[in-house]
Amino acid sequence: MVLDEFDLIHRYFSRPTSTTVLGVGDDAALVAPAAGMQLAISADMLVEGRHFFPGADPYSLGWKSLAVNLSDMAAMGAIPRWFTLCISLPSADADWLDGFSRGLFALAEQYGVELIGGDTTAGPLTISIQIIGQVETGRALCRHGAQAGDDIWLSGPTGAAALAVQHRYGNLGLDAEDLVYCTVRLDRPEPRIALGRGLLELATAAIDISDGLVADVGHLAGRSGLAAHLYRATLALPALSDKALALPVFESCLLAGGDDYELCFTASPSCRSRLMSLGEALCLPLARVGTMLVGQGVDVLDDQGNPLSLARAGFNHFA
């Protein structure tokens, strides 16, 4: 069966909306933020061969395409409300579209976010989502709010998603159990929306870890006009076998791998006990992993306080 653009949209991407003034079907959607709220707007693009492997499972790709945008909302402490989808497709393959849309809407329904518009065209497989959320006026978490002396916190372990990438490239071989864990971390990231909301009263700055821990901490520190020290010994390790943790590439994956979508945030030392309670309430292993200080740049320190030498800090979109 050959689908044209309008059949495709109607069959796979048209859903009733309950939170819009006007949804899919017109030249633009109409939305109204709640009183006392600001809109938070972000967009991410995923390109086949650059951000995901050719032949990627469509359900997982639908899930992840939205998850990376939801993670941006989490980093701002925002409530996700609406999103648009622009997708370029090599062909209107019904089986692929069915899997992709099911993955997309499974996550959308989990977080109560509604598709309100977008566009489709023929071309190389490229997925671009714009997400719109809302956050109380003047209370959004930003990257520039960190203060010297703040603790640096991380919501969960890094490195497993990058190991899955290395496995798919054929650079290493993970045992079956490790591969399942790493694949889930890469393909089905869980946006930390509830944590972001809980941090509004506690954190001074936040960022989600997409390009690599050291790189993204560097973005946060740079926006705040500060330096950062990360303590290697305090970094939580992913739930992997000793064999996987001993892989030569693991250290680079842990510190610079990316695709983790955990939240990294800063907070005053006076907030430590409340943050630990928040982590327990959300079943998240929040951990203090560093300190913000006067200066610039990011150093990862070993047990003796000496800077570790890093081959790279994170993912470069144009390298």
Side-chain angles (χ1 to χ4, degrees):
M1 178 180 181
V2 179
L3 297 173
D4 67 20
E5 177 184 4
F6 300 102
D7 290 334
L8 187 157
I9 293 169
H10 177 74
R11 176 172 294 198
Y12 298 105
F13 299 114
S14 292
R15 297 285 180 96
T17 59
S18 61
T19 62
T20 61
V21 179
L22 185 65
V24 174
D26 270 73
D27 290 305
L30 300 175
V31 299
M37 305 290 267
Q38 292 176 313
L39 293 179
I41 303 170
S42 181
D44 268 295
M45 182 183 299
L46 299 181
V47 179
E48 185 177 48
R50 187 60 178 168
H51 300 101
F52 59 92
F53 286 85
D57 171 59
Y59 184 98
S60 295
L61 189 56
W63 175 289
K64 186 169 183 175
S65 297
L66 183 57
V68 301
N69 286 270
L70 289 170
S71 186
D72 287 333
M73 294 293 100
M76 301 294 290
I79 303 167
R81 298 294 304 279
W82 310 285
F83 70 102
T84 63
L85 168 67
C86 292
I87 185 166
S88 168
L89 296 164
S91 65
D93 183 285
D95 290 338
W96 190 96
L97 285 161
D98 178 69
F100 178 85
S101 61
R102 284 190 296 107
L104 181 80
F105 285 115
L107 191 63
E109 289 166 7
Q110 182 176 326
Y111 287 97
V113 59
E114 297 183 331
L115 178 61
I116 59 171
D119 195 17
T120 62
T121 189
L125 182 55
T126 305
I127 303 151
S128 181
I129 286 179
Q130 182 179 67
I131 193 162
I132 306 164
Q134 56 185 27
V135 61
E136 291 80 357
T137 299
R139 293 185 60 203
L141 296 172
C142 301
R143 298 180 183 183
H144 64 257
Q147 303 294 312
D150 279 354
D151 296 322
I152 302 172
W153 292 76
L154 196 57
S155 66
T158 59
L163 280 178
V165 171
Q166 292 303 313
H167 178 93
R168 290 180 185 178
Y169 276 130
N171 295 334
L172 53 85
L174 294 170
D175 292 342
E177 190 172 339
D178 288 330
L179 180 57
V180 168
Y181 174 82
C182 291
T183 297
V184 170
R185 293 286 292 178
L186 176 65
D187 292 342
R188 307 276 183 92
E190 289 287 350
R192 304 304 186 192
I193 298 294
L195 175 60
R197 295 294 293 165
L199 291 176
L200 288 178
E201 299 287 345
L202 301 170
T204 54
I207 190 171
D208 72 327
I209 304 300
S210 57
D211 291 337
L213 177 61
V214 173
D216 286 321
V217 169
H219 298 323
L220 190 152
R223 287 281 288 164
S224 294
L226 296 170
H229 280 175
L230 293 172
Y231 307 118
R232 171 61 182 83
T234 66
L235 295 179
L237 298 179
L240 295 168
S241 67
D242 290 341
K243 178 181 176 182
L245 296 176
L247 289 166
V249 74
F250 174 72
E251 202 70 12
S252 175
C253 290
L254 178 77
L255 296 172
D259 261 322
D260 298 294
Y261 298 100
E262 296 291 349
L263 291 191
C264 181
F265 57 94
T266 57
S268 166
S270 64
C271 295
R272 289 175 181 174
S273 62
R274 284 184 289 168
L275 284 167
M276 293 304 295
S277 296
L278 177 62
E280 291 170 5
L282 297 176
C283 298
L284 292 175
L286 303 188
R288 283 188 293 122
V289 299
T291 304
M292 302 297 293
L293 59 159
V294 174
Q296 59 183 349
V298 180
D299 283 321
V300 182
L301 306 182
D302 64 17
D303 291 348
Q304 286 72 47
N306 300 313
L308 296 172
S309 177
L310 304 176
R312 65 188 185 97
F315 181 72
N316 184 336
H317 291 263
F318 292 94

